[in-house]
Amino acid sequence: MAVATTRDEGNTARAGSERRAGSDSPSRPRKALTIGAVAKILSQEFDDISISKIRYLEDQKLLTPRRTQGGYRLYSQTDVERLRAILRMQRDEFLPLRVIRQELATGDFTGSRPGSEAAATRRAASVEAPVSMLAPEELLDQAGVSEGLLRELQEFGIVQPDRRDGRSVYDETDLEIVRAAAELSRFGVAGRNLRVFVSSADREAALLQQLVGPALRSRSQARRKEAIENLESLAAVCGHLKHLLLVRDLRRLKGD
């Protein structure tokens, strides 16, 4: 009877049969799967996957499996692929949950992810993600700018390299800053004109430090992790607000 019920996809509404179907056939993604079966499938690619982690992602509204009348979670093939995409974005691109949620909102999470250049751009704009370091010649080559422009940006504090073994080194965020400055330079914007952006960023950073600074210094790893996520979200809101204020002023300039 149990075998017949497992084969009958139309009876998956019965909790007991659904649990057997998910646990007995973890390699059959077309059937409804239990949370344990999903964890077993994904463990082949993600060593740190666990039932509690899947539940956490569900609590964060990133995943919404259907429930039986008995309250059991049942995952479809689409749910599994969505979860796989979430885990890959966390592992490969170091994206925070806020950004992952935005990516999933596009509805296209089963295709190929962005290439290494797009991933590096995302890391450059993330507070938490580790970034790669670049030698001066690497930055110049990837940004396609002259040494003169780089010196000018450093002179006015637009780019602030670190020192390693007596040499200046840059990260992916510096690279994106130089690229943006190079684009503005095509319109005659010089390095000294960009100091207004540095001043604005410094003021915003000081404000956010007041809001989340104590949590970032906490001895609790969980609290620090939450503070970093809040920092990401607050930075995104500040950036959006600044963009809206700029658009408003430009509309006035245009005469609307």
Side-chain angles (χ1 to χ4, degrees):
M1 182 67 176
V3 174
T5 304
T6 303
R7 291 177 178 174
D8 185 1
E9 296 183 9
N11 290 334
T12 55
R14 298 180 182 179
S17 298
E18 289 164 336
R19 294 179 66 189
R20 286 195 295 273
S23 58
D24 292 344
S25 307
S27 61
R28 298 179 183 178
R30 293 185 180 278
K31 292 185 179 294
L33 299 172
T34 64
I35 191 170
V38 171
K40 183 175 181 180
I41 291 172
L42 294 176
S43 66
Q44 299 175 16
E45 181 179 355
F46 306 97
D47 295 336
D48 61 343
I49 191 63
S50 64
I51 289 176
S52 61
K53 184 170 185 177
I54 296 175
R55 286 175 176 165
Y56 171 75
L57 294 174
E58 182 183 342
D59 291 340
Q60 296 300 308
K61 310 301 181 184
L62 294 171
L63 199 65
T64 54
R66 71 183 181 89
R67 299 264 189 156
T68 67
Q69 292 181 352
Y72 295 107
R73 297 174 174 84
L74 288 177
Y75 296 80
S76 66
Q77 173 65 13
T78 301
D79 292 327
V80 174
E81 293 305 318
R82 182 182 180 94
L83 182 54
R84 193 189 308 276
I86 293 170
L87 296 173
R88 284 176 177 171
M89 281 187 271
Q90 285 186 312
R91 181 194 64 190
D92 301 338
E93 302 180 54
F94 307 99
L95 298 183
L97 296 183
R98 170 186 57 80
V99 178
I100 291 176
R101 191 176 292 109
Q102 294 171 354
E103 290 292 308
L104 294 174
T106 66
D108 182 18
F109 53 85
T110 57
S112 59
R113 294 296 306 153
S116 58
E117 184 175 344
T121 300
R122 283 205 174 98
R123 289 196 301 271
S126 173
V127 173
E128 186 177 12
V131 289
S132 301
M133 305 307 296
L134 304 169
E137 56 272 18
E138 292 176 312
L139 183 140
L140 293 172
D141 179 63
Q142 294 187 35
V145 300
S146 66
E147 291 186 30
L149 177 59
L150 182 58
R151 283 196 301 269
E152 181 183 359
L153 295 176
Q154 289 184 200
E155 178 184 352
F156 291 103
I158 311 304
V159 175
Q160 301 174 354
D162 291 330
R163 299 290 294 181
R164 301 278 178 88
D165 298 325
R167 292 194 66 194
S168 295
V169 292
Y170 306 84
D171 61 26
E172 291 165 318
T173 303
D174 293 317
L175 174 60
E176 294 304 316
I177 291 173
V178 172
R179 283 173 170 165
E183 183 67 20
L184 289 173
S185 70
R186 294 176 54 240
F187 295 88
V189 180
R192 63 179 179 276
N193 303 128
L194 300 177
R195 288 182 297 182
V196 62
F197 296 103
V198 176
S199 299
S200 176
D202 289 344
R203 288 194 296 268
E204 289 180 32
L207 172 62
L208 298 187
Q209 183 179 20
Q210 293 178 14
L211 297 176
V212 299
L216 288 172
R217 295 187 294 271
S218 172
R219 294 182 178 180
S220 169
Q221 184 177 357
R223 192 181 179 198
R224 287 198 304 272
K225 182 178 180 180
E226 181 182 6
I228 291 173
E229 291 184 358
N230 289 337
L231 193 62
E232 289 270 11
S233 299
L234 288 168
V237 173
C238 288
H240 184 56
L241 175 59
K242 185 163 54 178
H243 176 72
L244 293 175
L245 293 172
L246 177 60
V247 169
R248 182 196 62 188
D249 290 345
L250 293 179
R251 283 177 179 166
R252 291 174 178 172
L253 180 65
K254 188 168 69 76
D256 287 351

